[in-house]
Amino acid sequence: MQSNTGSYKRVLMGPGPSDVDPRVLEALSRPTIGHLDPAFLGILNEIRTLLQYVFKTNNQMTLAMSGTGSAGMETCVVNLIEPGEPMLVCVNGVFGKRMSDVATRAGADVSTLEVAWGQVFDPEAIDQVLRRKPAKLVGIVHAETSTGARQPIEEVSRVVHSHGALLLVDTVTSLGGIEVNVDGWQIDACYSGTQKCLSCPPGLSPVTFSEAALQTLEKRKTKVQSWYLDLTLIRQYWGSERLYHHTAPINMNYALLEALRIVKEEGLENRWNRHWTNHCMLKKGLAAIGINYVAQAGHELPMLNAVSVPEGVDDAAVRKQLLEQFGIEIGAGLGAFKGKVWRIGLMGAASTKSNVLLFLAALENCLSDQGHKFPKGASIAAAIESK
Ligand SMILES: *Cc1c(COP(=O)(O)O)cnc(C)c1O
């Protein structure tokens, strides 16, 4: 669907980016000012305060790195790891795999613990691995966007700390959609992204470091491998010195501030509840037409619904029709799930009842066109019933 201004109008129900609130788009278009302008420094301070709210942390080192979620991943790894140091990465999908790749490139002595895609980690298994081989840092993904599985963090944190290691958690997809409790769960380093449940365009990566992580950074014997992501330098810009490091992406920071204000206005808990309610509605609707989730039962993410493509249905043709006829974007399966799974996002501003109903109606239309047999209208009836 192309509007007469030449811009595209879409309903973004994929694995990110998600729909952006018009208030955020308006913020993005405000006049650019200097990165050392006191007005802009005030904006950075407000972003820090609001990020502390969404991360549930008092960490002083809380900031938005310039770059997407993957830059946050790399920031955490390169600042906490020196060449040759042991790191354990838990891999149950694309993003755990990416973290192990980043750590290997950073010169870490990387071990991985793997479980099947869609499954989550038993803290006991992590304990076993750390008994055999201690690690300085343990990395895990809270919300694995490639499989739709939610990893409980608290118990993992206890195990990791009982071995004297630091805990690194990827919350790119979870932040703003389900609880992320950095202080309560004693997470040492945590990163996220702007374009998933915060509903801001992609371009910044919120990062927070605990006291223990900061001490590790201060005790380094070698320079951080990446100049651009070196927090010992960047903290002098975000801190009171306000020393130039690189030019902050000014307008992206306006956008993030506005997106965070929207989160604060709604209230974190209300936001988690909204994500949960709309997920339940979608799940009931899909179940009524025989479409099932692939993540471990009881661990399904509300913002990323990974479901099996029904037998005999052409995955790519349905996604193409959804986009071209209805303007709805959903995600394809990655890696082991390629061609077999659809990833339906209900992230941030896109998590609405109307999007659930729109999607179910459009999906039934596409499945009918494929000659797929199912009880027509049942998904919508079940979704309405679930409210
Ligand atoms: C999207 C995502 C990333 C990567 O973020 P980019 O913004 O694409 O760089 C990392 N981890 C998870 C869990 C993600 O969903």
Side-chain angles (χ1 to χ4, degrees):
M1 273 180 221
Q2 194 169 7
S3 77
N4 54 14
T5 58
S7 64
Y8 293 91
K9 201 172 174 316
R10 298 279 193 243
V11 179
L12 296 179
M13 297 181 70
S18 61
D19 287 338
V20 177
D21 190 288
R23 269 174 64 185
V24 174
L25 294 175
E26 187 275 324
L28 206 48
S29 70
R30 286 179 204 155
T32 304
I33 60 175
H35 60 282
L36 295 172
D37 186 315
F40 185 69
L41 298 175
I43 287 172
L44 293 184
N45 287 341
E46 196 179 339
I47 288 175
R48 167 181 290 132
T49 303
L50 287 168
L51 285 178
Q52 287 169 329
Y53 166 73
V54 296
F55 273 129
K56 299 188 89 167
T57 184
N58 291 316
N59 288 342
Q60 195 47 39
M61 175 72 101
T62 300
L63 44 73
M65 293 295 290
S66 305
T68 64
S70 306
M73 182 188 286
E74 198 137 2
T75 298
C76 293
V77 172
V78 298
N79 281 276
L80 294 175
I81 285 288
E82 296 190 57
E85 289 182 335
M87 175 170 176
L88 172 65
V89 184
C90 301
V91 179
N92 59 350
V94 166
F95 294 103
K97 186 111 191 52
R98 182 176 298 181
M99 198 193 287
S100 76
D101 187 9
V102 165
T104 304
R105 289 166 191 241
D109 168 14
V110 179
S111 310
T112 57
L113 173 63
E114 305 200 18
V115 294
W117 282 43
Q119 301 298 296
V120 298
F121 295 92
D122 178 357
E124 192 65 27
I126 297 174
D127 187 51
Q128 295 293 321
V129 174
L130 290 173
R131 269 177 213 282
R132 283 200 299 277
K133 185 182 176 192
K136 179 190 191 188
L137 182 64
V138 177
I140 197 161
V141 178
H142 186 209
E144 188 34 95
T145 321
S146 60
T147 68
R150 178 185 54 83
Q151 173 68 50
I153 297 297
E154 263 186 294
E155 193 54 38
V156 169
S157 176
R158 265 193 286 279
V159 165
V160 167
H161 290 122
S162 76
H163 288 275
L166 294 172
L167 176 65
L168 163 58
V169 182
D170 175 320
T171 62
V172 176
T173 282
S174 50
L175 193 71
I178 53 175
E179 181 174 22
V180 172
N181 191 339
V182 167
D183 286 0
W185 301 344
Q186 294 190 289
I187 297 172
D188 295 295
C190 192
Y191 61 92
S192 190
T194 48
Q195 78 275 22
K196 311 236 170 148
C197 292
L198 298 179
S199 274
C200 184
L204 291 174
S205 175
V207 167
T208 186
F209 267 41
S210 72
E211 252 333 291
L214 273 187
Q215 280 171 18
T216 303
L217 180 64
E218 274 153 19
K219 281 201 280 245
R220 288 182 68 100
K221 294 186 195 71
T222 59
K223 279 190 176 179
V224 173
Q225 169 249 336
S226 161
W227 178 88
Y228 195 67
L229 303 175
D230 184 346
L231 286 175
T232 66
L233 302 175
I234 291 171
R235 68 189 302 190
Q236 295 175 42
Y237 174 61
W238 276 77
S240 50
E241 299 99 314
R242 299 300 186 186
L243 204 63
Y244 164 70
H245 177 257
H246 66 272
T247 311
I250 305 295
N251 293 52
M252 266 311 298
N253 280 282
Y254 297 164
L256 177 59
L257 175 57
E258 199 60 28
L260 292 170
R261 282 175 174 162
I262 291 172
V263 173
K264 183 81 194 280
E265 282 165 24
E266 180 175 14
L268 267 183
E269 261 137 64
N270 293 334
R271 199 172 174 93
W272 302 333
N273 288 337
R274 172 166 61 80
H275 279 85
W276 186 251
T277 311
N278 292 327
H279 156 73
C280 292
M281 188 176 176
L282 177 68
K283 195 173 187 207
K284 290 235 170 69
L286 291 170
I289 54 171
I291 296 181
N292 302 313
Y293 283 63
V294 297
Q296 186 174 329
H299 293 271
E300 298 92 342
L301 288 171
M303 71 289 282
L304 196 284
N305 300 264
V307 302
S308 299
V309 176
E311 203 75 44
V313 169
D314 182 341
D315 152 50
V318 169
R319 284 185 290 106
K320 182 166 188 274
Q321 192 179 357
L322 283 171
L323 189 67
E324 287 178 357
Q325 283 186 3
F326 302 96
I328 298 173
E329 177 182 272
I330 65 165
L334 296 175
F337 286 165
K338 192 166 188 288
K340 297 183 194 141
V341 165
W342 286 320
R343 293 183 301 148
I344 308 152
L346 288 172
M347 295 182 174
S351 175
T352 63
K353 286 197 178 7
S354 42
N355 278 354
V356 171
L357 292 174
L358 173 70
F359 171 73
L360 290 171
L363 179 66
E364 284 207 10
N365 182 104
C366 300
L367 292 175
S368 280
D369 287 359
Q370 294 251 333
H372 180 64
K373 297 272 177 287
F374 64 97
K376 303 266 158 69
S379 72
I380 295 152
I384 292 169
E385 191 78 1
S386 86
K387 287 193 298 175

